[in-house]
Amino acid sequence: MWLLHSSIGRKLIMSISGSMLVLFLLFHLCMNVTAVFSPEAYNMICALLGANWYAVAATVGLGALVAIHFLYAILLTLQNRKARGNDRYAVNRRPAGVSWASQNMFVLGLIVIGFLILHFSQFWYKMMFAELAGHHEVSPWGAGILLSPKDGAAFVQYYFSRLWVVIAYLVWYAALWFHLTHGLWSAIQTLGWSNGIWLNRWKRFAYILATLIFLGFAFVTLFFYAKSLCCGAVCQ
């Protein structure tokens, strides 16, 4: 199939999977912002997305999207390296008009994937997976306390009261920002929704949306860290 073996087909799959992951990011951001204004509402959403068949199915689908996106990123990277041959060992300056992010998309993707593993181990493993395993109380990483897997707001408050976690997540958001500033408009271009006039508009749109996503997630993280400092202890 041309989708699997051709360069255009692989880029198309990358674009579709990436666009769907961006939609999930926006949903996740809205959900996280809810925790700032109402921990009860956030926990209600967590309950809807807990150990329910539709939530589990969606999680499997999300994992498949991440795997497909990452797999095709590897395939395209190897394909590009093969096409360049010995030229890849030459020391070249970045061409004019080519962003740093566009030349380092794979490395940025590796950083994003690495922190996804951290994120899943801190939240998904301790919440949805714990519910599926029948645990009524679990202990977050490095905590001497037990929390209900359904109390997502308590997990958010606990982890974002740790300075190293806050710094790690801010690094993650920064890598994600760079990844999105190029990936968004590139995906739109691959899907054929661009031309000479709209390309610069889509690039601006990518920067604006990536910045809003970065600021939104950073705001939630820093809010709960500041809240923990004001409380003088982990707020339950």
Side-chain angles (χ1 to χ4, degrees):
M1 286 181 63
W2 69 274
L3 273 176
L4 301 177
H5 302 294
S6 71
S7 176
I8 296 177
R10 290 172 177 176
K11 288 180 179 178
L12 183 61
I13 292 176
M14 280 276 291
S15 300
I16 294 173
S17 60
S19 299
M20 295 178 72
L21 289 172
V22 170
L23 291 176
F24 172 77
L25 271 177
L26 291 172
F27 165 76
H28 200 347
L29 175 59
C30 293
M31 179 178 171
N32 284 14
V33 171
T34 301
V36 171
F37 300 100
S38 175
E40 294 77 14
Y42 179 78
N43 283 344
M44 186 181 300
I45 299 173
C46 289
L48 292 173
L49 301 178
N52 304 299
W53 69 267
Y54 51 84
V56 174
T59 301
V60 173
L62 177 63
L65 278 176
V66 172
I68 290 170
H69 195 72
F70 186 60
L71 173 62
Y72 276 84
I74 294 175
L75 291 175
L76 284 170
T77 299
L78 293 176
Q79 178 179 302
N80 291 337
R81 282 178 175 270
K82 183 178 180 180
R84 289 176 61 189
N86 293 330
D87 290 343
R88 69 178 182 272
Y89 298 109
V91 178
N92 298 314
R93 292 185 177 181
R94 188 168 72 243
V98 176
S99 67
W100 178 86
S102 68
Q103 288 195 314
N104 295 275
M105 286 294 283
F106 186 70
V107 175
L108 291 168
L110 284 177
I111 296 173
V112 172
I113 290 292
F115 277 97
L116 271 179
I117 295 172
L118 172 66
H119 183 65
F120 283 0
S121 66
Q122 288 179 328
F123 290 94
W124 177 83
Y125 180 73
K126 295 291 184 177
M127 296 175 66
M128 178 184 283
F129 182 82
E131 279 193 73
L132 292 171
H135 299 302
H136 299 290
E137 289 184 322
V138 291
S139 177
W141 276 23
I145 58 175
L146 292 174
L147 300 175
S148 168
K150 299 180 180 180
D151 193 356
F155 278 91
V156 171
Q157 181 62 70
Y158 171 77
Y159 283 121
F160 290 156
S161 67
R162 286 358 189 210
L163 181 59
W164 77 266
V165 175
V166 171
I167 294 174
Y169 272 76
L170 291 176
V171 170
W172 182 25
Y173 304 150
L176 187 62
W177 181 86
F178 280 109
H179 196 74
L180 291 176
T181 53
H182 175 75
L184 277 169
W185 69 261
S186 180
I188 292 171
Q189 186 180 45
T190 300
L191 293 171
W193 300 340
S194 180
N195 53 40
I197 297 176
W198 275 93
L199 181 59
N200 287 330
R201 295 176 181 177
W202 284 125
K203 286 184 177 181
R204 287 194 292 270
F205 170 77
Y207 273 92
I208 292 171
L209 185 59
T211 301
L212 289 175
I213 291 174
F214 170 82
L215 292 177
F217 280 115
F219 164 70
V220 174
T221 301
L222 293 173
F223 172 85
F224 281 100
Y225 181 67
K227 184 179 178 180
S228 70
L229 294 179
C230 292
C231 294
V234 177
C235 301
Q236 300 288 335

